Amino acid sequence: CLTSNATQALAMAYHGLRIRKDQEIVTTEHDHYSQHESIRFAAERSGCGVRYVSLYEDGAKANATEMVAHLERAITPKTRAVGVTWVHSCTGVKLPIPPIAEAVARANRGRANADRCLLIVDGTHGFANQDVDVAKMGADFFATSTHKWLFGPRGTGFLWGRADMW
């Protein structure tokens, strides 16, 4: 769906999330303010927990294997959503979204649909400057804005979600 900006797209994803008090959202210490605020508001609304995970100690030395392993260890049976930022604006670190999606899929084996862990990606700083098919990355929701690379300063937001998630 088209939105005003990526912040609104993230808010739609998190506020539409069916999450219980006994569940949690896992995100990283490295995520953008918009991601963290959408998560905070969703947690306040639902009463769920939020955990912040460090994916790396030094962005210059970050590697895909380390980042995926840190995130995979953080996912528990209580984890209902994992929120990550694809490309970090402050460091330029680019997260390996397909392997992260595979880790989330492994965590979902045997889970009931209401307990399924969803992957929510803020893709703003990688969208339209990478030759990637967003639908094939493996995210359940991918929020972005077109103002960074695609349409200039007056761009719009975009929220992509798997058809079975709406």
Side-chain angles (χ1 to χ4, degrees), residues 9 20 25 36 38-39 44 46 50 54 57 59-60 62-63 90 94 98 120 128 135-136 143 148 164:
R20 302 182 310 261
I25 299 170
H36 285 166
S38 288
I39 290 169
E44 284 180 9
S46 67
V50 178
S54 178
E57 289 186 33
N63 67 69
C90 59
K94 180 179 165 186
I120 301 172
K136 292 182 180 177
K148 296 290 182 184
D164 61 338

Side-chain angles (χ1 to χ4, degrees), residues 3-165:
T3 65
S4 296
N5 51 54
T7 301
Q8 186 181 42
L10 286 167
M12 289 174 68
Y14 285 106
H15 293 292
L17 183 62
R18 293 182 185 132
I19 188 165
R20 302 182 310 261
K21 285 183 178 186
D22 64 325
Q23 294 177 319
E24 67 180 4
I25 299 170
V26 170
T27 188
T28 79
E29 296 173 354
H30 321 285
D31 281 286
H32 191 270
Y33 173 81
S34 296
Q35 178 94 287
H36 285 166
E37 283 300 283
S38 288
I39 290 169
R40 183 175 69 83
F41 287 131
E44 284 180 9
R45 177 187 49 77
S46 67
C48 77
V50 178
R51 283 192 304 118
Y52 297 86
V53 178
S54 178
L55 297 182
Y56 51 82
E57 289 186 33
D58 180 355
K61 297 177 183 174
N63 67 69
T65 303
E66 172 189 31
M67 290 186 281
V68 172
H70 283 202
L71 199 54
E72 190 163 21
R73 280 194 302 270
I75 298 171
T76 72
K78 290 175 37 173
T79 308
R80 178 67 169 127
V82 172
V84 297
T85 299
W86 183 20
V87 179
H88 298 163
S89 60
C90 59
T91 62
V93 170
K94 180 179 165 186
L95 298 190
I97 300 301
I100 290 172
E102 291 168 9
V104 171
R106 284 190 294 275
N108 280 326
R109 289 187 187 135
R111 287 191 187 199
N113 201 41
D115 296 327
R116 195 169 165 272
C117 184
L118 303 174
L119 178 58
I120 301 172
V121 177
D122 176 351
T124 299
H125 290 97
F127 184 70
N129 68 17
Q130 307 284 309
D131 186 16
V132 174
D133 182 341
V134 170
K136 292 182 180 177
M137 291 180 78
D140 294 293
F141 293 97
F142 185 93
T144 191
S145 175
T146 60
H147 80 283
K148 296 290 182 184
W149 306 105
L150 195 57
F151 291 142
R154 298 196 190 276
T156 189
F158 176 73
L159 177 63
W160 177 90
R162 291 186 14 199
D164 61 338
M165 294 293 109

